[in-house]
Structures are given as structure tokens and as C-alpha cells.
Amino acid sequence: QVQLVESGGGLVQPGGSLRLSCAASGFSVDYAAIGWFRQAPGKGREGLSCITKRDGATTYADSVKGRFSTARGNARNTVYLQMNNLKPEDTAVYYCAIGPPCDLNPRIDYRAMDYWGKGTLVTVSS
């Protein structure tokens, strides 16, 4: 059974940083990728980043390029999302998901993803 669990969300002031973690279990497909997405109240789900499990290749949405970065953790099937210089408009529920390799989903389309975590809330406010 595939399971994804996000953690690390919380309240942070504008300009601050957070690191989200995604722990995935129940799958061992080396060519898969883990993507990060977010959904703000009243808005659609937005793709933020993608990292291919096999070789660590990454892609980013233009909206977060230069502020957010994703990386594989030392623990197997763990992926992080480092978020810097956070803004109030970054407030959202953040999700990780498993899907095809990043080069097959260059627009980080949430509809291409197969399995999802339940999300972690990030609130950026003073």
C-alpha cells in the first residue's frame, strides 16, 4: 500500500523559511518522481517542484524558482521541499505526490500524479 506523509508545515513570518518533508512508503519504482504541490483557499492545485527518484533530476515552477528547492533525503523515499523568503501568498496546504519522471511531466501537472499525501498547512503571516 502506497503511503505518503507530509510534515514540517506551520506558521512562519514573511521572509522566513520552512522545510517540508515527504516520507513515502509502499512503492519501489525507481523511475518514479515525487512532486510538491500546493492549494490555497479558493484556488486550484499548483505544481511547484519535481524530483526524479533515480537520478535526482529536478524541475520547478516559475512561481517558486529561486526560492524553493527540492532534494532527496538520506532516508530512502524521503524528499524535502526547502522554502525560503516566504510570502503571504505562499499560504496554502502543501502536498507531495508520486508520479512519472519529471521529464515526462515538465509542467508539473497534478493530473499526472498517481498517489497523494494528505497535506500539511503552511501559513505565512506576521
Side-chain angles (χ1 to χ4, degrees):
Q1 181 180 357
V2 177
Q3 188 175 17
L4 296 133
V5 179
E6 303 94 339
S7 61
L11 174 64
V12 62
Q13 292 187 341
S17 299
L18 276 178
R19 188 177 78 162
L20 305 182
S21 299
C22 174
S25 61
F27 85 105
S28 59
V29 180
D30 288 341
Y31 63 77
I34 291 181
W36 283 97
F37 300 78
R38 67 185 177 189
Q39 188 162 15
K43 295 189 176 180
R45 192 159 296 192
E46 177 188 14
L48 305 175
S49 68
C50 179
I51 184 165
T52 298
K53 184 172 180 287
R54 178 185 56 199
D55 59 9
T58 57
T59 55
Y60 295 95
D62 288 342
S63 60
V64 300
K65 200 172 291 184
R67 294 194 301 128
F68 292 10
S69 63
T70 188
R72 295 174 296 183
N74 291 330
R76 192 166 181 263
N77 291 339
T78 298
V79 169
Y80 300 109
L81 182 68
Q82 177 68 42
M83 306 186 295
N84 299 324
N85 190 23
L86 284 161
K87 306 173 183 180
E89 52 264 41
D90 294 317
T91 295
V93 177
Y94 284 70
Y95 301 89
C96 63
I98 293 172
C102 303
D103 58 348
L104 298 183
N105 186 19
R107 297 173 65 181
I108 318 177
D109 190 337
Y110 72 91
R111 293 168 292 183
M113 310 308 281
D114 297 315
Y115 300 97
W116 292 84
K118 294 183 178 180
T120 184
L121 177 62
V122 172
T123 303
V124 185
S125 175
S126 54

